[in-house]
Amino acid sequence: MIIELRQDILVANQKMVSVVKERLAQEKVLMLNIIGSPGSGKTSLLEATLAGLSERFRVAIIEADVETKRDSERLERFGVPLYHINTGGMCHLESDIILASLEKMDLAATDVVIIENVGNLICPADFDIGEHAKIAVSSVPEGDDKPSKYPVLFREAAAVVLNKTDLVPYTNFNVESFTTDLRRINGTVPLFELSATGGNGVQAWLDWLIQKVEASQA
Amino acid sequence: MHEMSIVEHLFGVIDDIAKKEQLTSIQRVAVEIGGMRQIVPELFQFAFDAAKDRTIAAGAELAMTFVPIQATCNGCGAVFEVQLHEYVCGSCGGADVKVTGGKEILITSIEGDRDDN
Ligand SMILES: Nc1nc2c(ncn2[C@@H]2O[C@H](COP(=O)(O)OP(=O)(O)OP(=O)(O)O)[C@@H](O)[C@H]2O)c(=O)[nH]1
Ligand SMILES: [Mg+2]
């Protein structure tokens, strides 16, 4: 016999996405999902973000790593609630694991949850975890062709961060070509060119984020 | 290698359907995958073959259909197929477009035998 249907294969993930979204909406919490290659500077961006934001808003962090707790340890000094997930080889996060982390949090006393996803440009883009915005982080040493090679992440992103701009003079990275390619994939996405460790351009990113958090609380 | 994880979810769905329909074996599974899903067919097939052993679908054939990415222009309303991930309206050149198709990740049919005792 043949059974005809049209059933979402990721139905289990989507169910948990609905629960996550509901919980966040109840408590007016904004949730961001930071996605980028290994070493692109996701943790460094979090450090710069916490330095500029943790006085003003109640931020909680979810750190995902395949192995080790090193990134979490780097963020401890900010004194914000920190939830660590070892994915044990998995190349992305799914919504059930995010829900489990949210359940450990005091969401009523949280304004924004920022998630550092596993370093990977493909898999995390395919799994909704109930976030309000995906943030794509790309960096100068990776080369200017990343939007063209990994278009779906850049298409799905609500903001793109081009990090390590302090290294442009030492590489053949062509900012114009990066921007042109990005615009073909996503003509309207805000682009923040910055140096997470040097500080240049970080303020524009913080301003965007502050506006997002405030909008989510209105 | 998200193909592996997606196939894991697929077998979860297959299991549920098999239980509900009281299937004893499955010979064929058909799926529909949108272009936004970044699925490499060979990897998906490989993951499916690796996962099917010792399941009700051991020996089952996998049929994959791929759906192109479709977008609608927020400026002029034109609906167009996105080629090579160029999300720009072919009619007015506008870059403010919404993806309206290509995110599908569906199981569309299962062929199997039912326990009729
Ligand atoms: N020159 C320069 N180096 C940077 C910048 N941002 C990050 N780095 C360096 O890049 C390296 C990787 O940064 P991380 O923040 O650990 O990158 P990540 O994306 O979190 O890496 P994974 O979690 O391993 O995927 C570190 O040595 C950082 O100091 C920057 O703006 N400029
Ligand atoms: Mg990191």
Side-chain angles (χ1 to χ4, degrees):
Chain A
M1 64 184 289
I2 298 178
I3 303 161
E4 307 269 2
L5 50 143
R6 285 186 78 75
Q7 156 93 62
D8 184 359
I9 292 172
L10 297 181
V11 61
N13 189 63
Q14 292 312 121
K15 266 187 198 149
M16 290 301 147
V17 162
S18 309
V19 181
V20 166
K21 281 187 191 290
E22 215 170 278
R23 289 289 296 123
L24 296 173
Q26 270 165 4
E27 307 291 353
K28 295 195 173 183
V29 176
L30 179 76
M31 190 165 86
L32 305 178
N33 180 5
I34 300 194
I35 304 176
S37 321
S40 56
K42 299 178 294 301
T43 309
S44 303
L45 181 67
L46 278 178
E47 290 174 301
T49 304
L50 286 172
L53 215 67
S54 57
E55 303 269 284
R56 187 165 178 165
F57 297 113
R58 297 164 298 178
V59 188
I61 303 289
I62 300 177
E63 262 296 336
D65 257 318
V66 176
E67 295 290 342
T68 85
K69 291 187 88 165
R70 282 191 202 172
D71 284 358
S72 295
E73 283 156 16
R74 275 167 63 187
L75 299 175
E76 265 164 17
R77 67 189 164 99
F78 294 98
V80 302
L82 207 58
Y83 300 83
H84 187 87
I85 298 170
N86 259 142
T87 62
M90 207 144 92
C91 55
H92 62 274
L93 288 169
E94 296 191 12
S95 53
D96 54 349
I97 209 164
I98 294 301
L99 184 61
S101 296
L102 293 184
E103 272 165 1
K104 287 183 215 149
M105 284 182 200
D106 183 1
L107 283 180
T110 306
D111 300 314
V112 53
V113 175
I114 310 180
I115 300 165
E116 177 175 346
N117 215 311
V118 183
N120 186 314
L121 290 172
I122 298 181
C123 312
D126 227 11
F127 285 85
D128 279 341
I129 52 178
E131 74 281 75
H132 296 99
K134 292 185 174 73
I135 315 294
V137 179
S138 200
S139 67
V140 165
E142 296 167 59
D144 51 31
D145 57 1
K146 290 300 152 300
S148 310
K149 285 189 176 164
Y150 303 93
V152 173
L153 171 62
F154 291 91
R155 176 68 216 174
E156 298 273 288
V160 174
V161 170
L162 174 60
N163 187 31
K164 310 193 190 182
T165 50
D166 53 299
L167 299 179
V168 168
Y170 310 103
T171 65
N172 62 356
F173 190 97
N174 186 328
V175 178
E176 201 184 304
S177 142
F178 178 92
T179 312
T180 308
D181 287 354
L182 175 65
R183 287 301 164 223
R184 261 201 292 271
I185 294 159
N186 196 334
T188 55
V189 71
L191 167 64
F192 301 101
E193 299 171 33
L194 56 84
S195 170
T197 52
N200 265 337
V202 170
Q203 193 56 49
W205 152 254
L206 289 175
D207 290 344
W208 179 83
L209 200 52
I210 289 166
Q211 199 211 319
K212 275 265 177 202
V213 182
E214 283 174 348
S216 74
Q217 294 176 339
Chain B
M1 268 304 275
H2 57 312
E3 285 85 357
M4 210 74 117
S5 302
I6 291 175
V7 163
E8 231 173 85
H9 281 279
L10 172 62
F11 274 93
V13 173
I14 290 174
D15 248 20
D16 287 346
I17 296 167
K19 280 204 189 88
K20 201 174 111 211
E21 302 284 344
Q22 295 174 298
L23 300 179
T24 50
S25 72
I26 291 173
Q27 288 94 45
R28 190 168 182 277
V29 173
V31 298
E32 186 177 305
I33 300 168
M36 291 291 282
R37 289 292 176 174
Q38 311 177 90
I39 297 291
V40 180
E42 293 77 14
L43 290 181
F44 198 83
Q45 179 75 58
F46 178 81
F48 182 85
D49 289 338
K52 72 184 178 185
D53 286 347
R54 289 190 298 278
T55 74
I56 187 171
E61 176 198 337
L62 173 70
M64 287 179 267
T65 307
F66 288 89
V67 194
I69 302 172
Q70 192 196 63
T72 304
C73 178
N74 286 330
C76 73
V79 176
F80 59 99
E81 192 174 301
V82 173
Q83 311 272 3
L84 301 170
H85 289 283
E86 189 155 345
Y87 299 82
V88 178
C89 176
S91 302
C92 74
D96 181 8
V97 308
K98 186 177 164 39
V99 171
T100 44
K103 292 191 181 180
E104 300 77 2
I105 183 99
L106 304 170
I107 176 163
T108 52
S109 78
I110 289 184
E111 208 176 313
D113 295 322
R114 179 179 277 167
D115 184 2
D116 281 325
N117 299 323

